[in-house]
Amino acid sequence: MAPTALDAATLEKLISAAVAAPSIHNTQPWRFRLDPDTATLRVQAASGRGLRATDPMGRALHVSVGAALFNLRVAVARFGWEPVVRLLPCPAEPDVLASVRLAGPARNNGHRQDLYNAMWLRRSSRFPFSAHRLPPQLLSELTEAAHTEGASLSLPGPDETTRLLHLTAEAESRNAHDPVRCAESRAWIRDGSPDGLPGSALGPQDATERLPMRDFTGTGAGPRSESRPPAATFESHPLIAVLATAHDRRTDWLRAGQALEYVLLTATTHSVRASLLHQALEWPDLRCALPDARSGPAHVQMLIRLGYGPAGPATPRRWHERCTAVDPLVTRRSRALARPDGCPRRAVCRA
């Protein structure tokens, strides 16, 4: 496929694809900057959108940005370019987490061809799943997707799953009784806002208390969202996948985010729903206890609940801000940015 001209409309499509990625509490902690002379998009952390109490080290922020980076790569290839990615490309600018140069033409990168369509359909579903099990072939495909991006995806048995859920429940209990974290979580329940989570997306609690779904309001810490449905009975044998990396550096967090999104999009192509159990990763001692000692050293980056069930509602995106500072692009040898006011050639995309 010949590369599409890098005009303003195409650039908006690329950024729209990137911001369709999941992020913790739907904080959307990313910004995008185009260097038109090199046709390179810089992916930056919007540190002001981080969670100071829940994510003080910024690990979850990096994972979120990594998911957006994967979507951007898929979209760049979809429009005919080869995405040349560098992680942490500017040591002097730590907020620049990645760069994606639009080289071309695109080569076969081994990704499924339907991932681009899947990113618009992917939803987090915090609702009960059915008892129907995922076929082994699909589980192998999800495992391979994570491996392709430099991470591992393990599928623990019943006893290990129970242990992971107990750690998650302990973290959920701590979160619910920590007033600072409760206030931070509640601040991101935002009906009618372009970010955060509407009450309808929170889903019910498990009536059996077997599956510790996150309660963003906190026990006794304030009124629940009126949009939240009543407690329901969840699946009795949940499938929890463990996404991990061999190391725990900033680059590993970004790779984990890319692997996470690859897994989620692949699941979406098979009509498999997913929700993320992140609570235990927010407490250092509980996170250290997550890896299975029998599988060797690893750093858990996410617990993913998978299954068949209802699609979750769409969560909002800051679409209206995605390219507010971008003017029309003209296709020249340098892919220069046309500025009618004569200002320097620079484009900032905030989303």
Side-chain angles (χ1 to χ4, degrees), residues 132-142 155 239 270 272 308:
H132 185 61
R133 309 302 292 176
L134 274 61
Q137 183 177 354
L138 172 54
L139 296 176
S140 296
E141 186 176 350
L142 298 177
L155 302 163
L239 173 61
H270 292 277
V272 171
Y308 296 104

Side-chain angles (χ1 to χ4, degrees), residues 94-114:
D95 280 350
V96 180
L97 302 189
S99 65
V100 181
R101 182 169 61 86
L102 279 59
R107 300 190 300 268
N108 182 6
N109 56 17
H111 292 157
R112 294 175 57 110
Q113 296 301 307
D114 49 1

Side-chain angles (χ1 to χ4, degrees), residues 175-220:
N175 287 342
H177 293 89
D178 185 317
V180 175
R181 297 192 186 209
C182 281
E184 184 175 69
S185 294
R186 287 199 306 271
W188 288 96
I189 302 176
R190 300 178 175 183
D191 287 298
S193 173
D195 55 13
L197 297 168
S200 60
L202 302 184
Q205 291 290 304
D206 184 3
T208 67
E209 299 185 350
R210 181 186 301 108
L211 197 56
M213 304 301 291
R214 187 189 291 273
D215 183 355
F216 285 84
T217 59
T219 302

Side-chain angles (χ1 to χ4, degrees), residues 29-335:
W30 40 58
R31 297 176 62 187
F32 304 88
R33 181 180 296 271
L34 173 70
D35 180 349
D37 293 324
T38 61
T40 299
L41 279 161
R42 301 204 312 176
V43 186
Q44 300 178 213
S47 54
R49 305 186 69 79
L51 302 174
R52 295 181 181 274
T54 301
D55 185 37
M57 299 299 293
R59 186 197 61 82
L61 182 150
H62 282 69
V63 172
S64 300
V65 172
L69 173 60
F70 184 83
N71 276 9
L72 181 59
R73 289 169 49 200
V74 170
V76 166
R78 168 81 173 200
F79 285 95
W81 290 286
E82 178 67 21
V84 179
V85 178
R86 292 180 60 198
L87 301 182
L88 307 180
C90 305
E93 300 180 69
D95 280 350
V96 180
L97 302 189
S99 65
V100 181
R101 182 169 61 86
L102 279 59
R107 300 190 300 268
N108 182 6
N109 56 17
H111 292 157
R112 294 175 57 110
Q113 296 301 307
D114 49 1
L115 293 184
Y116 181 81
N117 293 331
M119 66 178 66
W120 312 109
L121 301 175
R122 183 208 59 78
R123 304 277 190 273
S124 292
S125 179
R126 301 176 180 88
F127 295 87
F129 295 161
S130 74
H132 185 61
R133 309 302 292 176
L134 274 61
Q137 183 177 354
L138 172 54
L139 296 176
S140 296
E141 186 176 350
L142 298 177
T143 301
E144 181 60 27
H147 178 74
T148 299
E149 297 301 322
S152 64
L153 190 75
S154 59
L155 302 163
D159 292 342
E160 178 63 10
T161 296
T162 298
R163 187 184 72 86
L164 294 173
L165 292 178
H166 283 164
L167 291 172
T168 302
E170 168 62 22
E172 179 64 18
S173 176
R174 294 185 191 182
N175 287 342
H177 293 89
D178 185 317
V180 175
R181 297 192 186 209
C182 281
E184 184 175 69
S185 294
R186 287 199 306 271
W188 288 96
I189 302 176
R190 300 178 175 183
D191 287 298
S193 173
D195 55 13
L197 297 168
S200 60
L202 302 184
Q205 291 290 304
D206 184 3
T208 67
E209 299 185 350
R210 181 186 301 108
L211 197 56
M213 304 301 291
R214 187 189 291 273
D215 183 355
F216 285 84
T217 59
T219 302
R224 292 177 179 270
S225 168
E226 294 180 357
S227 302
R228 189 162 198 164
T233 300
F234 280 65
E235 60 270 25
S236 58
H237 300 288
L239 173 61
I240 307 296
V242 181
L243 183 75
T245 54
H247 303 285
D248 203 32
R249 303 160 299 197
R250 295 175 68 203
T251 51
D252 298 296
W253 301 343
L254 290 168
R255 291 189 182 98
Q258 294 175 83
L260 171 65
E261 183 67 344
Y262 195 178
V263 169
L264 294 178
L265 293 182
T266 302
T268 300
T269 65
H270 292 277
S271 299
V272 171
R273 313 305 181 191
S275 62
L276 306 180
L277 301 179
H278 190 264
Q279 301 97 308
L281 288 99
E282 297 159 14
W283 296 89
D285 61 324
L286 298 180
R287 185 180 178 222
C288 287
L290 284 173
D292 186 346
R294 296 169 297 179
S295 61
H299 299 273
V300 175
Q301 306 293 348
M302 192 65 70
L303 302 182
I304 311 170
R305 171 177 163 252
L306 297 163
Y308 296 104
T315 51
R317 292 294 185 274
R318 293 182 293 132
W319 303 118
H320 66 290
E321 300 179 16
R322 64 182 182 267
C323 288
T324 55
V326 175
D327 293 296
L329 291 166
V330 295
T331 305
R332 294 179 178 174
R333 191 178 309 171
S334 64
R335 291 190 173 95

